[in-house]
Amino acid sequence: MSLTLTPNATIGILGGGQLGRMLALAAARLGLKSRIYAPEADSPAFVVAAGHMLAAYEDEEALAQFAAQVDVITYEFENVPARTAAVLAKIAPVLPGEAALAASQDRLVEKDFMASLGIATAPYRQVDDVDTLKRALAEFGRPAILKTRRFGYDGKGQVLIGDDADPAAAFHALGGQPAILEGFVPFSKEISVVAARGVQGEFAAFDVCENIHRHHILQSTHVPARVDAITATKAVNMAKTIADALDYVGILAVELFLVEDPASETQLLVNEIAPRVHNSGHWTEGGAVTSQFEQHIRAIAGWPLGSTKRHGSAVTMQNLIGDDVENYLHILAEPGACLTLYGKQEARTGRKMGHVTRIIP
Amino acid sequence: MSLTLTPNATIGILGGGQLGRMLALAAARLGLKSRIYAPEADSPAFVVAAGHMLAAYEDEEALAQFAAQVDVITYEFENVPARTAAVLAKIAPVLPGEAALAASQDRLVEKDFMASLGIATAPYRQVDDVDTLKRALAEFGRPAILKTRRFGYDGKGQVLIGDDADPAAAFHALGGQPAILEGFVPFSKEISVVAARGVQGEFAAFDVCENIHRHHILQSTHVPARVDAITATKAVNMAKTIADALDYVGILAVELFLVEDPASETQLLVNEIAPRVHNSGHWTEGGAVTSQFEQHIRAIAGWPLGSTKRHGSAVTMQNLIGDDVENYLHILAEPGACLTLYGKQEARTGRKMGHVTRIIP
């Protein structure tokens, strides 16, 4: 691939949420224009972009028109329909490419792909009906986690099957969709690698992140993760292996479980990958020389990657979820706290409204 | 004043150049919307704002319509006509206020104001015609600098009167406008203070900047300035005195000359003030915890000021002027360099196209 944008080129972004918004802001810093494609009229990214297309992802006429207005297309979410990506890719490059979307949209494909690379994951079995679920449960024991193959995020599309749970009820609770069963992983930490791969195959990872979830939603990220240097290097190398295998361009996030057992070597299991900027990388805006958003834009523009050097001895990022955001004046008054708000009108429960980054000197 | 914006409020910005653009981007980071008012159709700030008004600053109907769409109004240039500010201020607060505009639009008023505060400037005399110019020249000697009272920037509207120059020719070269003559100042350094004052009178200065000009255009800024602590404190105190006297809200930039004479105490003379974000403060974007743009938005929103703490042991900012910008790929490849481009289409000679910030670890 030899795409290299000139300044004043236009980036097309699928998705108008906070990730699309922060990508558009980073593109603007670099002199680039953005156009947003999203089906929601109140998309927070619309108001910071040069233009937008309000249309469904299945509207092929709108897609073609959008693609003709931009020089490269990227996205803020991995569930871009394959047909959407194909229609766009006929007219303008879509980055990260098709392979990255395929590998991250379906949990079964994702885990098979990791296995093909020799990368460990939680044990898993394909579940197509109650019978296959029962067999997998017998194999893994309980508790185990049933997850839909597609469209899961923030804990949606998954259910824990405990000692007393009825497998059939669990399967139907998820709508009877194609699923996988994951064996329980007694992990001690959740970490992530946020890294970029450029069009020439160059690779740059930010410091490894340690993530705290509550109700399956990321609450906070702490950087650097409290892991030893060997584990950190292993995690970064896994991300590089994945990115290389996908001939990836852009920011890739890899979520991992750390299983620490005093009796044996520390184990790293990939939980999932996201072919996009990632919540656990938000600390890089203000907390590193180059933000993940700028790095993603640099990569898809065919430009050199920026420095991933961290500011301070450590950085923390705290999500503002739902009415957490009402605390904004206190956060603004906190010395050194760096507040980002997403411009969303309504602070619904569980909705990510903004985040705070704190740099520890 | 007790204005306090809520997130999702809208900031009105007069002027659509790079300063307006960077203010709009900073507002977006804080969840705020921006609307830009400018008479140029290709204003770089239009493409990052929620909306814009393309109209002349004298179009009172457009001004009233604009003011009704926003919660507070600010500006990227000090030459906002008094009538424009008055029309707007009837409908929405204009910050920094009228006093700041009056004190910075006219070099004579500006210098008289400094004198009233006991703040030193270059010696100056009012020049209304060739006769007053000749008398002032006889008093100050040569060389001396003749400057129009209004609308000077980047060296425009001024002429050096050397030994052989004809005073009448110099006066007419500036269009025979009301002017001032400034005595020559044998300064060794040009420094600036970029500081914010909040609605409650709180004050926060960034580290003092040392500025290098060429052909009257800022080339680069080096922070911290190479001045002793006493001089730096004096400079910041002068900025505070000025801001307090103007009951100022927002970022104020004060440009100073440093006259170092081994035989006597170091002298600080105010050259001029700018009631707005300032080119010598661009290093704060990426080089400090809070950028001058965010700080200005915080101040005019009635929000607490942010930390002015600098990253690294030093920070430099280099302007990209005219075709300097063609070097963008080399700058992007430079480890740790942080590039900002303004999205201007045409790289005319002398035009500010972007800047590079470098943090020295």
Side-chain angles (χ1 to χ4, degrees):
Chain A
M1 247 205 58
S2 62
L3 167 84
T4 305
L5 298 189
T6 53
N8 293 322
T10 301
I11 310 276
I13 301 171
L14 306 181
Q18 66 267 24
L19 301 182
R21 178 176 164 107
M22 290 187 278
L23 284 170
L25 292 173
R29 268 280 301 278
L30 294 168
L32 299 161
K33 290 192 186 67
S34 296
R35 300 189 74 87
I36 312 290
Y37 191 110
E40 301 87 8
D42 62 347
S43 293
F46 286 174
V47 293
V48 300
H52 67 264
M53 176 76 76
L54 179 67
Y57 293 117
E58 295 73 26
D59 182 341
E60 299 194 6
E61 203 172 309
L63 290 169
Q65 195 184 325
F66 180 76
Q69 292 170 327
V70 302
D71 298 292
V72 64
I73 297 170
T74 191
Y75 42 86
E76 64 158 11
F77 64 113
E78 55 272 38
N79 289 318
V80 176
R83 173 78 193 155
T84 301
V87 169
L88 293 167
K90 270 187 238 157
I91 304 169
V94 177
L95 293 173
E98 205 185 328
L101 285 172
S104 58
Q105 289 185 348
D106 182 313
R107 290 185 194 279
L108 180 63
V109 174
E110 188 177 33
K111 285 198 160 54
D112 285 347
F113 172 60
M114 293 305 148
S116 76
L117 298 174
I119 288 176
T121 63
Y124 65 99
R125 288 290 178 270
Q126 179 171 352
V127 169
D128 294 322
D129 49 36
V130 177
D131 275 355
T132 45
L133 173 56
K134 282 180 177 166
R135 278 201 297 278
L137 265 179
E139 203 179 343
F140 291 159
R142 301 180 181 217
I145 304 162
L146 185 67
K147 297 182 175 180
T148 58
R149 285 174 53 176
R150 289 180 166 268
F151 302 117
Y153 74 98
D154 284 356
K156 291 179 174 69
Q158 58 180 275
V159 58
L160 185 83
I161 305 184
D163 286 343
D164 304 323
D166 171 26
F171 185 72
H172 294 301
L174 293 185
Q177 295 174 64
I180 62 169
L181 187 75
E182 284 184 18
F184 183 77
V185 174
F187 64 85
S188 54
K189 290 193 184 80
E190 293 176 271
I191 65 173
S192 59
V193 176
V194 177
R197 189 171 181 276
V199 291
Q200 312 294 337
E202 66 274 30
F203 181 84
F206 292 101
D207 289 334
V208 176
C209 314
E210 183 171 340
N211 303 314
I212 312 290
H213 290 82
R214 198 165 54 201
H215 310 309
H216 300 283
I217 298 175
L218 182 68
Q219 297 292 311
S220 61
T221 295
H222 304 261
V223 187
R226 292 166 301 162
V227 298
D228 59 58
I230 292 172
T231 302
T233 301
K234 264 192 200 167
V236 169
N237 287 343
M238 287 162 90
K240 184 170 189 317
T241 299
I242 296 166
D244 286 341
L246 295 170
D247 195 17
Y248 196 89
V249 176
I251 287 278
L252 172 73
V254 180
E255 294 183 41
L256 303 111
F257 295 130
L258 198 71
V259 183
E260 290 166 302
D261 179 351
S264 60
E265 211 184 326
T266 296
Q267 257 196 303
L268 274 172
L269 309 179
V270 167
N271 176 29
E272 62 180 35
I273 64 173
R276 55 169 168 82
V277 290
H278 193 256
N279 197 164
S280 71
H282 286 4
W283 65 272
T284 59
E285 177 85 55
V289 170
T290 309
S291 78
Q292 66 166 343
F293 307 102
E294 174 174 340
Q295 193 78 310
H296 187 76
I297 299 295
R298 283 174 177 248
I300 65 168
W303 291 356
L305 301 180
S307 164
T308 56
K309 193 173 150 32
R310 190 185 69 235
H311 295 312
S313 65
V315 181
T316 69
M317 186 287 305
Q318 180 199 340
N319 271 339
L320 300 176
I321 296 168
D323 55 17
D324 288 351
V325 71
E326 287 168 17
N327 206 25
Y328 70 95
L329 282 176
H330 287 100
I331 296 165
L332 285 165
E334 185 190 322
C338 176
L339 176 67
T340 301
L341 297 178
Y342 304 150
K344 295 180 183 177
Q345 300 298 318
E346 202 192 334
R348 293 194 293 270
T349 305
R351 193 177 201 202
K352 293 174 181 170
M353 300 298 293
H355 64 267
V356 195
T357 300
R358 296 176 175 91
I359 299 171
I360 319 302
Chain B
M1 249 205 57
S2 63
L3 167 84
T4 305
L5 298 190
T6 53
N8 294 323
T10 301
I11 310 277
I13 300 171
L14 305 182
Q18 66 266 24
L19 301 182
R21 178 176 164 108
M22 291 188 277
L23 284 169
L25 293 173
R29 269 279 302 276
L30 294 167
L32 298 162
K33 289 192 189 68
S34 296
R35 298 189 76 86
I36 311 291
Y37 190 110
E40 300 87 9
D42 62 347
S43 293
F46 285 175
V47 292
V48 302
H52 67 263
M53 176 76 76
L54 180 67
Y57 293 118
E58 295 73 27
D59 181 341
E60 299 195 5
E61 204 172 308
L63 289 168
Q65 194 183 326
F66 180 76
Q69 292 169 328
V70 302
D71 297 293
V72 64
I73 297 169
T74 191
Y75 42 86
E76 64 159 11
F77 65 113
E78 55 272 40
N79 290 319
V80 176
R83 174 76 192 159
T84 302
V87 169
L88 293 167
K90 270 187 236 159
I91 304 169
V94 176
L95 293 174
E98 205 184 330
L101 284 172
S104 57
Q105 289 185 347
D106 182 312
R107 290 186 194 279
L108 180 63
V109 174
E110 188 177 33
K111 286 197 159 53
D112 285 347
F113 173 61
M114 294 305 149
S116 77
L117 297 175
I119 288 176
T121 62
Y124 65 98
R125 288 291 178 272
Q126 180 171 352
V127 168
D128 292 324
D129 49 35
V130 177
D131 275 357
T132 44
L133 173 56
K134 283 180 175 168
R135 277 201 298 278
L137 265 178
E139 202 178 342
F140 292 158
R142 299 182 182 215
I145 303 161
L146 184 67
K147 296 182 175 179
T148 58
R149 285 173 56 177
R150 288 179 168 269
F151 301 116
Y153 75 98
D154 284 356
K156 291 179 175 70
Q158 57 180 276
V159 57
L160 185 82
I161 304 185
D163 285 344
D164 304 323
D166 172 26
F171 185 71
H172 294 302
L174 294 185
Q177 296 173 61
I180 62 168
L181 187 75
E182 284 184 19
F184 183 76
V185 174
F187 63 85
S188 53
K189 289 192 184 82
E190 294 177 90
I191 65 173
S192 60
V193 177
V194 176
R197 189 171 180 276
V199 293
Q200 311 294 336
E202 66 275 30
F203 181 84
F206 292 101
D207 289 334
V208 175
C209 314
E210 183 172 340
N211 302 317
I212 312 288
H213 289 82
R214 198 166 54 200
H215 309 310
H216 299 283
I217 298 176
L218 182 67
Q219 297 292 311
S220 61
T221 295
H222 304 260
V223 188
R226 291 164 303 162
V227 299
D228 60 57
I230 292 172
T231 303
T233 301
K234 264 192 201 168
V236 169
N237 287 343
M238 287 161 92
K240 184 169 188 318
T241 299
I242 295 166
D244 286 341
L246 295 170
D247 196 17
Y248 196 89
V249 176
I251 287 280
L252 173 73
V254 179
E255 293 183 40
L256 302 111
F257 295 131
L258 198 71
V259 183
E260 290 166 302
D261 179 352
S264 61
E265 211 183 328
T266 296
Q267 256 196 303
L268 274 172
L269 308 179
V270 166
N271 176 30
E272 61 180 37
I273 64 172
R276 54 168 169 83
V277 290
H278 193 256
N279 197 165
S280 71
H282 286 3
W283 67 272
T284 59
E285 177 85 56
V289 170
T290 310
S291 77
Q292 66 167 345
F293 307 102
E294 173 173 339
Q295 194 77 308
H296 186 77
I297 298 295
R298 283 175 176 246
I300 66 169
W303 291 355
L305 300 180
S307 165
T308 56
K309 193 173 150 32
R310 189 185 70 236
H311 295 312
S313 65
V315 181
T316 68
M317 186 287 305
Q318 180 200 339
N319 271 338
L320 300 177
I321 297 170
D323 55 17
D324 288 353
V325 73
E326 287 169 17
N327 206 26
Y328 69 97
L329 282 176
H330 287 101
I331 297 165
L332 285 164
E334 185 190 320
C338 175
L339 176 68
T340 301
L341 296 178
Y342 304 151
K344 296 181 182 176
Q345 300 300 318
E346 201 191 336
R348 292 194 294 270
T349 305
R351 194 176 201 202
K352 293 174 181 170
M353 300 298 294
H355 64 267
V356 195
T357 300
R358 296 175 175 92
I359 300 171
I360 320 300

